[in-house]
Amino acid sequence: MFTLIVIVHVLISLIIIGLVLLQAGKGADIGSAFGGGGSQAVFGSMGTPTVLGKLTSAVAIGFMITSFSLAMLAHKRTSSIMPASAPAPASAPASASPPAPAPVGAPTPTPGQK
């Protein structure tokens, strides 16, 4: 299921790229490139939506749905990189001997004394 949604997601993203590249921008005329009067309408009203605009919106909604689905499925599939239990303590080498105890009656240094 996850692989199928990934394939559909990639196809939808390629379709969106194609649809966006096929559409003409708002200020696509040559006059707006040189500061002509048509450049004033760049941020104006959209007018009637075109077929490519409607198709782009529909494909974008499909892209959002597949993105959300992949996020939900990936969350269920995740596993921690940390082990479930603590690792076993390393055993001491056989040649190492335990530290010798301090002699009885010897003064123990306190922090701050020299």
Side-chain angles (χ1 to χ4, degrees):
M1 183 69 175
F2 186 79
T3 307
L4 177 69
I5 295 177
V6 168
I7 292 170
V8 170
H9 188 71
V10 169
L11 290 175
I12 287 176
S13 64
L14 294 174
I15 291 170
I16 286 178
I17 291 170
L19 286 173
V20 168
L21 289 176
L22 285 174
Q23 295 178 23
K26 283 185 179 179
D29 56 345
I30 192 70
S32 66
F34 299 108
S39 64
Q40 298 296 325
V42 171
F43 297 110
S45 65
M46 279 284 296
T48 59
T50 62
V51 175
L52 282 178
K54 289 179 182 179
L55 190 59
T56 303
S57 298
V59 174
I61 290 171
F63 182 81
M64 288 187 289
I65 290 171
T66 57
S67 297
F68 186 72
S69 301
L70 286 172
M72 296 300 291
L73 289 174
H75 178 69
K76 291 179 183 177
R77 295 178 70 177
T78 58
S79 61
S80 176
I81 60 170
M82 299 297 293
S85 61
S91 60
S95 63
S97 60
V104 179
T108 57
T110 58
Q113 280 187 345
K114 292 187 178 182

